[in-house]
């Protein structure tokens, strides 16, 4: 398999293993009902401020192999970003190559090397956090997409490429560019291509799509839509004639045939699943009922009419803060909602380690509000605005915020193609019906007439707000990256506090949440008949022997794992009593 090499790669291939494990310091909890609080919310939602490389490392004990979906929107390396990077990019080898070998041309190429050095160790840690059936979605543009895919082939495996989704980020061409980019990519990989494909969800039908189902013939099966009953090609057993209820006879047009053989058609007709027009003399069409619709299949082209565009994302963010923000091209929440609907089910996690303005958390809470779900988010942001912008956005959308302005919503849209152009009049009628239904609800201050935008018939409704945007609910906990758990000599860093050390030991052994146990001084907990002890004293070395064994072990179990500095118990005694000794700090798992 072809691999990608760049200056500095040898310095970062294993760099994720050298990153220090830092503890997470809880700063505050937040709930939509009570606001900020000192206690943790236990909601599972986290916003972490700190270098995302170190923060990802700190998530490993609790979340390794448990994250169902990862979405990241990393820097696109256009040369305009002022992103922070601190992983060996100033290595003398890179400086020499840029200055002596490549010269001025290296000013552009060096950005690619720096970007790849930044991304590689982070992708390695994201891979470790992803579950066996998990998927990673990465937003990127044309500048680095080819390099990104080669790196992902190396880390995830070329066979685990799932899709390259193309997202229409603009509504019209950039007047400043002769050939301006109107799209971005969302690259999708998994640990198992097969498992990702099996776990992809169909998208829920929108209100507009559900409204397309009608029941003009009072069909007892309920509302339905009809579809063309012909198919392209010539198949002799699908070239029969069909007589409609009014007596009119049809055969397929030249170059086409019926979709099913005659016996299948007979069953459909008998079951009332064929439609011949209101007078019974139209071209046969097949019915699909609303109650049979499991959802809408997605594909790899996402137009902005469905998922929003960059300008919508900016307007959305500015409205939340009631002022312009530092973000020029934030993603619209509808885009992230589409990803979540595709792959995150109830109570599963989505991780975003380039959290930015907090769009992913906003999308999670919004979908939970819509369907009563309990999806959870973990957000990591390294910049100083993590609290004042990332977390603040989540607070505002959760509890509500003052808002004066207008908000547009797409009431109806239908793409015109050469194939369906003959049905344009029908689409206009559908659009007019959508307008009438919207007017009856009296939700919109203004409703546009049907108009053609990018070959799509659209109807836009405008809502006006002059008071307050209602909150959507939710909660989270805010963390800062704390001290390293181990010092430079690989000994326990006592400055982090014994509570954090005990929590880490428990996570490393059980991969489960730590609940402070009973009053036994060295007891960590019991799981599946294994009892865990951390025999540790800050001021002196501890020795496990016959004199203190009875004082340490108070809880019965099938097996005992005891951490201490030294052990004088005979091996045959420990084997007989199922005691496993682990030396501090040598045997403490280093993630």
């Amino acid at each position: 398999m072809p691999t990608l090499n760049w200056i500095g790669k040898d310095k970062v291939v294993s760099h994720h293993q050298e990153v220090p494990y830092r503890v997470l310091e809880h700063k505050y909890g937040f709930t939509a009902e009570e606001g900020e609080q000192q206690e943790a919310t236990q909601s599972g939602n986290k916003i972490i401020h700190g270098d995302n490389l170190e923060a990802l490392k700190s998530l490993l004990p609790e979340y390794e192999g448990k994250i169902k979906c990862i979405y990241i929107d990393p820097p696109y390396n256009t040369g305009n970003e002022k992103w922070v990077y601190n992983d060996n990019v100033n290595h003398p080898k890179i400086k020499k190559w840029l200055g002596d070998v490549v010269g001025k041309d290296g000013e552009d190429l060096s950005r690619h090397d720096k970007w790849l050095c930044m991304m590689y160790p982070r992708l390695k840690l994201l891979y470790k956090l992803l579950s066996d059936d998990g998927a990673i979605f990465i937003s990127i543009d044309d500048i680095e997409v080819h390099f990104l895919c080669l790196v992902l082939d190396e880390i995830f495996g070329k066979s685990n490429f799932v899709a390259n989704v193309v997202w229409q980020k603009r509504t019209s061409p950039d007047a400043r560019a002769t050939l301006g980019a109107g799209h971005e990519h969302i690259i999708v990989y998994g640990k198992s291509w097969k498992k990702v494909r099996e776990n992809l969800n169909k998208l829920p039908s929108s209100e507009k799509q559900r409204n397309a189902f009608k029941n003009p013939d009072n069909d007892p099966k309920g509302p339905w839509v009809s579809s063309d009953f012909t198919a392209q090609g010539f198949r002799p057993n699908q070239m029969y004639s069909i007589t409609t209820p009014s007596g009119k006879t049809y055969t397929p047009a030249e170059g086409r045939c019926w979709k099913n053989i005659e016996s299948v058609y007979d069953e459909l007709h008998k079951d009332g699943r064929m439609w011949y027009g209101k007078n019974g003399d139209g071209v046969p069409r097949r019915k699909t009922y609303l109650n049979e619709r499991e959802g809408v299949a997605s594909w790899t082209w996402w137009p902005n009419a469905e998922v929003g565009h960059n300008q919508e994302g900016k307007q959305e963010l500015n409205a939340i803060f009631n002022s312009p923000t530092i973000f020029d091209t934030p993603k619209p929440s509808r885009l992230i909602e589409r990803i979540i609907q595709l792959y995150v089910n109830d109570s599963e996690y989505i991780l975003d380690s380039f959290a930015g303005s907090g769009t992913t958390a906003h999308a999670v809470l919004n979908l939970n509000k819509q369907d009563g779900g309990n999806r959870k988010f973990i957000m990591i942001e390294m910049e100083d605005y993590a609290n004042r912008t990332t977390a603040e956005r989540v607070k505002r959308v959760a509890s509500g915020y003052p808002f004066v302005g207008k908000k547009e919503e797409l009431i109806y849209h239908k793409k015109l193609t050469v194939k369906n152009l003959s049905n344009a009049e029908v689409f206009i009628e559908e659009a007019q019906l959508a307008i009438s239904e919207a007017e009856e609800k009296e939700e919109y201050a203004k409703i546009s007439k049907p108009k053609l935008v990018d070959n799509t018939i659209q109807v836009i409704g405008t809502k006006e707000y002059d008071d307050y945007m209602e909150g959507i609910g939710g909660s989270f906990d805010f963390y800062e990256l704390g001290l390293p758990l181990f010092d430079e000599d690989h000994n326990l860093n006592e400055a982090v506090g014994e509570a954090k050390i005990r929590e880490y030991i428990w996570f490393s052994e059980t991969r489960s949440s730590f609940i402070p146990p009973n009053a036994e001084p060295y007891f960590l907990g019991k799981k599946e008949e294994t009892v865990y002890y951390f025999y540790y004293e800050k001021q002196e070395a501890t020795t496990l022997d016959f004199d203190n064994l009875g004082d340490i072990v108070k809880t019965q179990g099938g097996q005992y794992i005891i951490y201490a500095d030294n052990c004088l118990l005979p091996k045959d005694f420990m084997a007989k009593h199922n005691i496993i000794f682990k030396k501090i700090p040598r045997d403490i798992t280093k993630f």
Side-chain angles (χ1 to χ4, degrees):
M1 182 186 77
T3 57
L4 179 66
N5 288 304
W6 64 90
I7 300 299
K9 181 178 181 180
D10 58 327
K11 301 297 179 182
V12 298
V13 166
S14 300
H15 184 58
H16 64 286
Q17 298 175 348
E18 303 164 7
V19 176
Y21 174 88
R22 294 181 179 273
V23 298
L24 294 177
E25 298 286 356
H26 184 263
K27 294 301 179 180
Y28 64 84
F30 174 87
T31 68
E33 297 79 15
E34 303 294 333
E36 286 192 23
Q37 59 187 46
Q38 187 174 359
E39 302 79 15
T41 66
Q42 308 299 332
S43 64
N45 295 323
K46 291 181 171 68
I47 298 178
I48 303 168
H49 176 216
D51 186 304
N52 56 9
L53 187 61
E54 295 178 336
L56 289 171
K57 189 70 170 278
S58 296
L59 292 175
L60 285 176
E62 186 173 3
Y63 296 103
E64 184 173 2
K66 294 181 179 179
I67 303 296
K68 179 67 175 296
C69 179
I70 294 170
Y71 169 76
I72 58 173
D73 183 15
Y76 285 4
N77 200 11
T78 62
N80 298 322
E81 294 96 347
K82 297 179 180 178
W83 47 275
V84 180
Y85 178 72
N86 59 7
D87 293 328
N88 291 315
V89 295
N90 291 319
H91 191 274
K93 188 174 182 181
I94 296 178
K95 287 185 176 181
K96 179 174 178 59
W97 176 73
L98 292 174
D100 298 344
V101 180
V102 183
K104 289 186 177 181
D105 291 338
E107 293 178 6
D108 178 65
L109 295 175
S110 68
R111 297 207 319 269
H112 298 297
D113 292 283
K114 289 181 180 180
W115 189 85
L116 289 165
C117 285
M118 182 271 294
M119 288 297 294
Y120 196 93
R122 287 162 173 80
L123 289 171
K124 292 284 283 189
L125 289 175
L126 289 169
Y127 179 87
K128 293 173 77 69
L129 288 162
L130 202 62
S131 63
D132 289 341
D133 61 348
I136 182 169
F137 296 73
I138 305 178
S139 284
I140 200 70
D141 69 0
D142 290 335
I143 292 175
E144 296 290 357
V145 64
H146 44 298
F147 289 150
L148 174 65
C149 287
L150 285 172
V151 170
L152 291 170
D153 284 348
E154 184 173 326
I155 296 174
F156 286 80
K158 185 175 179 63
S159 62
N160 290 321
F161 166 79
V162 177
N164 176 6
V165 174
V166 180
W167 164 57
Q168 186 186 13
K169 68 176 183 178
R170 298 179 63 90
T171 57
S172 60
D174 186 349
R176 299 167 297 177
T178 305
L179 189 62
H183 71 279
E184 289 180 6
H185 306 269
I186 300 177
I187 304 299
V188 189
Y189 275 73
K191 282 190 174 179
S192 166
W193 174 89
K194 182 179 179 181
K195 289 182 178 179
V196 173
R197 287 288 183 176
E198 290 174 348
N199 281 274
L200 285 168
N201 300 316
K202 284 191 173 182
L203 300 173
S205 301
S206 66
E207 183 177 359
K208 176 188 73 64
Q209 290 166 329
R210 292 191 295 272
N211 287 340
F213 287 77
K214 309 297 179 184
N215 196 359
D217 59 347
N218 296 316
D219 192 316
K221 298 184 184 68
W224 50 267
V225 292
S226 65
S227 59
D228 190 357
F229 192 61
T230 65
Q232 190 172 3
F234 176 82
R235 300 175 183 85
N237 61 344
Q238 293 172 220
M239 298 300 296
Y240 49 91
S241 62
I242 292 178
T243 302
T244 70
S246 68
K248 192 170 183 178
T249 299
Y250 287 95
T251 56
E254 183 176 353
R256 301 188 69 82
C257 62
W258 299 122
K259 276 191 175 179
N260 300 105
I261 61 175
E262 190 169 9
S263 60
V264 173
Y265 162 76
D266 290 339
E267 288 296 323
L268 292 171
H269 174 77
K270 182 179 179 181
D271 197 32
R273 290 177 176 267
M274 296 300 299
W275 172 245
Y276 307 96
K278 60 182 180 180
N279 296 324
D281 58 358
V283 177
R285 296 175 63 84
R286 180 173 178 170
K287 291 181 178 180
T288 300
Y289 295 94
L290 179 59
N291 59 20
E292 297 173 338
R293 192 76 173 261
E294 296 179 355
V296 181
S298 184
W299 61 339
T300 56
W301 165 241
W302 293 0
N304 54 45
E306 296 179 8
V307 297
H309 45 78
N310 275 336
Q311 188 63 20
E312 177 181 314
K314 189 171 184 176
Q315 292 170 347
E316 184 176 47
L317 187 60
N318 290 349
I320 292 170
F321 286 92
N322 201 27
S323 65
T325 67
I326 62 173
F327 297 91
D328 292 327
T329 56
K331 296 295 184 289
S333 58
R334 286 198 292 157
L335 176 68
I336 314 304
E337 287 177 15
R338 166 69 62 91
I339 293 171
I340 295 170
Q341 288 172 328
L342 273 176
Y343 213 68
V344 186
N345 299 316
D346 191 35
S347 299
E348 293 176 335
Y349 280 91
I350 180 169
L351 165 64
D352 183 348
S353 55
F354 292 87
S357 67
T359 307
T360 298
H362 183 175
V364 169
L365 295 183
N366 199 38
L367 286 177
N368 285 346
K369 171 70 172 180
Q370 291 177 27
D371 60 17
N374 190 31
R375 306 169 190 85
K376 299 175 177 63
F377 60 79
I378 301 175
M379 312 284 288
I380 303 172
E381 178 49 55
M382 66 191 303
E383 300 291 354
D384 292 338
Y385 55 69
N387 189 33
R388 69 173 182 267
T389 302
T390 312
E392 181 63 25
R393 174 182 185 167
V394 183
K395 294 176 186 176
R396 292 188 180 208
V397 299
S399 57
Y401 54 94
F403 177 67
V404 177
K406 299 177 180 180
K407 188 174 182 180
E408 292 186 344
E409 295 181 0
L410 194 64
I411 296 175
Y412 176 87
H413 80 279
K414 190 73 174 184
K415 185 77 173 179
L416 287 180
T417 65
V418 174
K419 184 177 179 180
N420 68 18
L421 194 59
S422 61
N423 294 324
E425 290 186 5
V426 175
F427 300 152
I428 293 296
E429 291 178 3
E430 292 177 352
Q432 294 289 358
L433 180 60
I435 291 174
S436 299
E437 293 175 347
E439 288 175 342
E440 290 179 3
K441 295 180 180 179
E442 298 182 347
E443 294 179 351
Y444 300 97
K446 179 182 177 181
I447 301 174
S448 72
K449 295 180 179 179
K451 56 184 179 180
L452 192 63
V453 180
D454 293 336
N455 295 324
T456 303
I457 300 175
Q458 294 185 0
V459 175
I460 305 294
T462 303
K463 291 184 178 180
E464 293 183 352
Y465 298 88
D466 58 2
D467 184 16
Y468 202 76
M469 186 69 73
E470 183 181 355
I472 57 179
S475 57
F476 68 89
D477 289 285
F478 188 85
Y479 296 84
E480 295 273 2
L481 271 182
L483 296 169
L485 190 77
F486 300 94
D487 62 23
E488 294 180 355
D489 298 321
H490 304 289
N491 293 317
L492 286 172
N493 181 3
E494 295 176 341
V496 305
E498 187 175 340
K500 289 291 183 182
I501 296 174
R502 289 165 61 85
E503 181 179 332
Y504 177 89
I505 299 295
W506 176 260
F507 275 143
S508 69
E509 287 285 355
T510 67
R511 300 298 198 274
S512 60
S513 298
F514 181 67
I515 301 174
N518 59 34
E520 293 180 53
Y522 307 111
F523 180 58
L524 291 179
K526 181 178 180 181
K527 185 176 182 182
E528 297 175 356
E529 292 305 309
T530 298
V531 185
Y532 298 89
Y533 286 92
F534 184 57
Y535 183 30
Y536 173 80
E537 294 288 349
K538 184 175 181 180
Q539 303 298 332
E540 61 185 34
T542 57
T543 299
L544 183 63
D545 55 26
F546 285 117
D547 291 337
N548 57 29
L549 181 61
D551 295 328
I552 296 170
V553 178
K554 301 289 187 181
T555 300
Q556 282 193 329
Q559 177 177 260
Y560 304 88
I561 294 179
I562 305 175
Y563 285 82
D565 292 297
N566 302 290
C567 179
L568 297 180
L569 296 175
K571 291 184 178 179
D572 56 346
F573 174 83
M574 290 194 296
K576 179 179 178 181
H577 295 280
N578 296 319
I579 297 173
I580 298 174
F581 164 70
K582 292 195 175 184
K583 184 175 178 59
I584 302 172
R586 182 195 66 198
D587 295 330
I588 297 176
T589 299
K590 308 293 194 302
F591 285 93

